[in-house]
Amino acid sequence: MKQVKSLVLAGLLAFAPAIAMNGQALAQDNVAAAAPVAENAAVPADSAANAAVPAAQAAPVATVAAPPRMKPTEGIGMPKPGEYTLQEQFTSTGHTARWLHDKMLIPLIFAISILVLALMLYAMWKFRASANPVPSKTSHNTLIEVIWTVAPVIILLIVAVPSIGLLADQYKPAPKDALTVKVTGYQWYWGYEYPDAGIPEFVSNMLTEDKAKANGEPYLLAPDNRLVLPVGRPIKLIITGADVIHSFAVPSLWVKMDAVPGRLNEKSFTIEKPGVYYGQCSELCGARHGFMPIAIEALPPAQFNQWVLSQGGKLPGAAAPVTAQAAVPATPAADAKL
């Protein structure tokens, strides 16, 4: 009898771990089976809040109309008939460059040319064969050699001071609040993208002669889509090429930068006056190189903001849209579930 009791106790001890594990598994299965019931009970409370989100998203958003297309003004942003100097400038670097060209270099070039012509005419008359049957054998004149060595050095130093300043201003980095626009040159059109405003790239192709005349714009300079920029705000252009080397050039804004594939070049400037400023590709880029016009439409800040909104973009400092999940308030049922 004692042996039977010992065998029974030994069997119970042997199977006790297995029985305990099976009990835990059954308890876990019961909890898992009860969890969907609790979740389903919380769903109606959540669905009431979630139902408001699609309804809000489905509501029509008020669209903003784009400002009317600006008409160009003759003499602003384009060459004038009979013009033989630089175009009128509408940026600070452009004013400096035009002053350097018109007030310093042109008078200096004119004076040097007249001086050299006068010296040549004097030498031809003074040392002609009839007046000097015996040629002079003078080989050195220290005073003259000092003058024609020192005078050019002084002239170059005078020109170098404003030239170096202009060169530094042309490559000055854009400030932090500048509007960034990516410009891409293609064969043969331009692409513009506004990463700061969230406006994806759109392309700009040349208008036909009939459409350009109908719009009152100069043929070969008028594209269908313009590069729209604000007046009085620093602009930072990130310029690159998609296939071959192009060159983004707008003479009246003193802007010219090569668009090189695989490289991002930067150009910064600030437009001073509203208007339409025309330019062209200035790097021989293929068969239709002469048909890659550029048109910058400079708008006052309020109209530029209106244009940004009309393109589906966002304004600086605007709050990011709230996601549907973040907009759903916590419900008592959901809190109880957690």
Side-chain angles (χ1 to χ4, degrees):
M1 191 68 181
K2 291 182 179 179
Q3 292 179 352
V4 172
K5 289 181 178 180
S6 300
L7 291 173
V8 171
L9 291 174
L12 291 174
L13 293 174
F15 288 100
I19 295 172
M21 293 178 63
N22 290 334
Q24 293 177 356
L26 290 173
Q28 291 177 356
D29 291 341
N30 292 333
V31 172
V37 177
E39 291 178 358
N40 292 334
V43 166
D46 288 344
S47 61
N50 292 336
V53 176
Q57 292 178 349
V61 180
T63 57
V64 178
R69 187 180 177 97
M70 183 179 291
K71 294 292 184 181
T73 303
E74 186 176 356
I76 297 179
M78 67 178 78
K80 294 183 291 187
E83 192 173 38
Y84 58 88
T85 183
L86 301 177
Q87 294 184 27
E88 185 178 355
Q89 298 297 306
F90 296 91
T91 60
S92 59
T93 53
H95 292 311
T96 304
R98 189 174 184 184
W99 174 87
L100 181 63
H101 177 269
D102 293 351
K103 306 300 183 182
M104 178 173 286
L105 295 182
I106 292 298
L108 189 60
I109 293 171
F110 181 79
I112 292 175
S113 300
I114 294 299
L115 176 62
V116 172
L117 178 61
L119 291 176
M120 290 178 60
L121 293 176
Y122 174 77
M124 293 167 60
W125 174 79
K126 180 69 175 178
F127 301 103
R128 66 190 188 276
S130 58
N132 295 273
V134 179
S136 172
K137 299 183 181 297
T138 303
S139 59
H140 292 285
N141 188 305
T142 304
L143 179 60
I144 293 177
E145 291 179 358
V146 169
I147 291 174
W148 73 36
T149 301
V150 174
V153 172
I154 295 175
I155 293 173
L156 291 176
L157 288 175
I158 294 173
V159 174
V161 174
S163 298
I164 294 175
L166 175 62
L167 187 64
D169 291 341
Q170 289 181 143
Y171 292 95
K172 185 181 297 183
K176 292 183 179 180
D177 61 340
L179 172 68
T180 302
V181 179
K182 183 181 178 183
V183 178
T184 305
Y186 299 93
Q187 286 183 316
W188 290 270
Y189 56 92
W190 295 98
Y192 305 122
E193 180 183 353
Y194 295 71
D196 290 348
I199 300 176
E201 184 182 54
F202 59 90
V203 298
S204 177
N205 288 285
M206 189 184 72
L207 291 176
T208 62
E209 186 173 3
D210 294 338
K211 290 184 178 180
K213 290 182 178 179
N215 290 346
E217 299 186 63
Y219 177 53
L220 299 179
L221 290 178
D224 51 2
N225 294 315
R226 296 170 175 171
L227 174 59
V228 182
L229 298 176
V231 173
R233 181 178 175 186
I235 308 297
K236 179 171 71 174
L237 299 184
I238 304 297
I239 303 172
T240 187
D243 31 50
V244 299
I245 299 177
H246 303 272
S247 185
F248 187 86
V250 183
S252 58
L253 300 178
W254 203 255
V255 172
K256 186 178 186 297
M257 181 60 69
D258 285 349
V260 182
R263 176 179 295 181
L264 298 177
N265 291 330
E266 180 179 320
K267 188 69 176 178
S268 62
F269 57 94
T270 302
I271 305 175
E272 299 175 345
K273 183 177 180 180
V276 182
Y277 302 91
Y278 292 102
Q280 289 177 305
C281 176
S282 297
E283 184 73 35
L284 187 59
C285 59
R288 292 186 58 82
H289 157 71
F291 304 97
M292 286 184 64
I294 302 165
I296 294 179
E297 183 172 343
L299 297 175
Q303 294 185 23
F304 175 76
N305 292 341
Q306 178 185 351
W307 179 85
V308 170
L309 295 176
S310 70
Q311 303 301 309
K314 64 180 186 298
L315 300 178
V322 181
T323 60
Q325 184 176 1
V328 177
T331 61
D335 292 341
K337 180 181 68 176
L338 295 175

